[in-house]
Amino acid sequence: NTSLADAVETLASRLADTNARTERLVAHAKQVDETLAHAVQGVGLVRFRAFQDTGGDQSFALAMADGEGNGMVLSALYGRGKTRVYAKPVRGWLSPKPLGEEEQEALAEARKVVVGEQAGSV
């Protein structure tokens, strides 16, 4: 029954190869997950009118955060004479700098995107 022994040996070899490939794929998936946790995953944009003497929603607040709620809020306040730009850090969905209403709204939008993605993940 050399052929039976050969068949079992071939199957054992294939199983070992499959297990090794699976371990490499699991390690790679873990590395990808860890990397993506620090990539921008949530973006929220709110346009608004900052000053009464200007028309339209030319001002905006833009929040960008990774999967852990770290990132920033960028705001531009458009006025007739000048535009002001502010950047505020965000750590764990909180900022050490005071956030205006529109900035908070943009951050909440970004968080909804991230939380929605995590709820659907495996």
Side-chain angles (χ1 to χ4, degrees), residues 1-15:
N1 286 321
T2 305
S3 63
L4 180 59
D6 289 344
V8 169
E9 186 177 322
T10 300
L11 287 174
S13 176
R14 284 185 176 175
L15 182 59

Side-chain angles (χ1 to χ4, degrees), residues 51-111:
F51 304 106
Q52 296 302 319
D53 66 339
T54 60
D57 295 344
Q58 301 300 317
S59 298
F60 67 87
L62 173 66
M64 297 186 293
D66 66 12
E68 298 173 354
N70 301 321
M72 62 142 202
V73 177
L74 180 68
S75 300
L77 304 180
Y78 174 79
R80 286 189 185 271
K82 59 183 160 184
T83 299
R84 298 178 184 156
V85 178
Y86 303 92
K88 299 177 182 177
V90 174
R91 293 279 176 248
W93 300 111
L94 300 172
S95 179
K97 304 288 184 188
L99 298 178
E101 181 181 331
E102 294 84 2
E103 292 169 323
Q104 291 175 9
E105 191 178 331
L107 189 57
E109 280 186 24
R111 187 173 189 166

Side-chain angles (χ1 to χ4, degrees), residues 14-58:
R14 284 185 176 175
L15 182 59
D17 289 346
T18 300
N19 285 339
R21 286 173 85 190
T22 300
E23 289 176 13
R24 285 193 307 271
L25 288 171
V26 167
H28 181 69
K30 183 178 178 182
Q31 180 184 12
V32 168
D33 286 346
E34 289 172 0
T35 300
L36 287 178
H38 301 290
V40 172
Q41 296 181 25
V43 176
L45 176 66
V46 175
R47 293 180 61 98
F48 60 98
R49 184 174 159 187
F51 304 106
Q52 296 302 319
D53 66 339
T54 60
D57 295 344
Q58 301 300 317

